[in-house]
Amino acid sequence: MPSLAERARELDAIDPLADRRKLFDLDDAVVYLDGNSLGAPPCSVADRMADVVRNQWGRRLIRSWSEGWWTAPERVGDRIAPLVGAAPGQVVVGDSTSANLFKALVAALRMSKGRNEIVVDAATFPTDGYIASSAARLMGATVRPAALDALELNENTAVVLANQVDYRTGRAYDVGAITSEVHAAGALVLWDLCHSVGALPVDLDSHGVDLAVGCTYKFLNGGPGSPAFLYVPTRSQSSFDQPLAGWNGHREPFAMAPEFTPSSEIARGRCGTPDILSLLALDAALDVWDGVTIAEVREKSLALTGFFIDCVDSLVGSRVSVVTPRDSTRGSQVSLACEDAQAVMDSLIARDVIGDFRPPNVLRFGFAALYGRYADALRAASTLAEILT
């Protein structure tokens, strides 16, 4: 049987996405396994931003708004759309995930006449729960946490806020099955795609998803604080009554009318003036997806994370426990539980193996298929074994 080192060399040699790594500005001395928190920078971003600052802003000045800036939220949204299984005209980029969650939750409550309960994934990332509680206070609704595999919905449930991938464990949920379950109860579903977009298939349109949000600084490599996105299907755009009715979402924003009339298209999801520098950095970062399918990414993601689990089993053994599902019901991360996890992660980072820690005892390793290597997975497991010896 080939050794782990031989397997890593063989798998890297036949990796169909291996050539993508050269599109990223990465230090080969560092093993970067935190793509599920902050993606690595594509090489194209720095030069593109220099042009934006020096020419579009520095020379064209305010004229750039009519030369591409104004329509950037929809244009960049259309670039993200194929990665979430959406047709054009249904994704808009801008604001933060938290702001877009608030818009979507309030709009969902307004669309659900006679229902006033928000059901929140019990294992959700904390901000989702915070925003749900805030939206509920505003709308006179209630919030109830529930496990995604035991939702127990009722006639009062207006919307279910679900995460496709659990940020702690890396477990991936079936978007189609849960969406169907929610719809059978007469409720709407809002998916948080922060830990899945750019890592595994989503297929929003084919599953009839009602609303979705996601960030762009993880597997989409948009940069720290890059703007989030909002998905509203065409069938729901006319009834999407969101609470942050800013001028950018107006049907005629430059009419400066005293009354708000929302756009009839996805632009109604916009609010204030977009952050053009961050938005155009994201636009540049998305170039690395040209010619790549999400199916290819998913295939490598499962192989890469599976190989890492094999390495951990062989080299680390019972000193850690694998929290992430070992089958295909996982996202693009592997979570390990161990004693003194924060100190262990600090030691890994000091040795140039970068993952992250989540309390109370979880080590997270996020594998970005576009630049992750099997050799990186082996080195991470080997270094972990040395630290725990």
Side-chain angles (χ1 to χ4, degrees), residues 15 51 59-60 77 138 150 152 164 180 221 357 369 372:
D15 175 13
D51 176 69
R59 295 293 176 266
R60 299 306 296 164
L138 176 71
E152 297 183 0
Q164 187 178 9
S180 294
N221 313 295
F357 159 76

Side-chain angles (χ1 to χ4, degrees), residues 80 84 92-98 100-101 190-195 197 212-217 220 226-231:
I80 293 173
V84 295
V92 65
V93 177
D95 304 314
S96 66
T97 302
S98 297
N100 285 328
L101 275 171
L190 164 57
W191 283 96
D192 181 333
L193 308 176
C194 286
H195 286 85
V197 60
V213 300
C215 67
T216 63
Y217 48 78
L220 295 187
S226 58
F229 65 88
L230 169 68
Y231 164 84

Side-chain angles (χ1 to χ4, degrees), residues 168 312 316-324 334-341 344 358 360-365 384 388:
R168 285 192 186 92
V312 169
V316 185
S318 62
R319 287 168 286 179
V320 300
S321 59
V322 179
V323 178
T324 301
V334 176
S335 295
L336 308 175
C338 71
E339 294 183 3
D340 300 320
V344 170
R358 288 293 179 267
N361 64 344
V362 174
L363 306 171
R364 294 197 318 168
F365 300 90
L384 180 60
L388 293 178

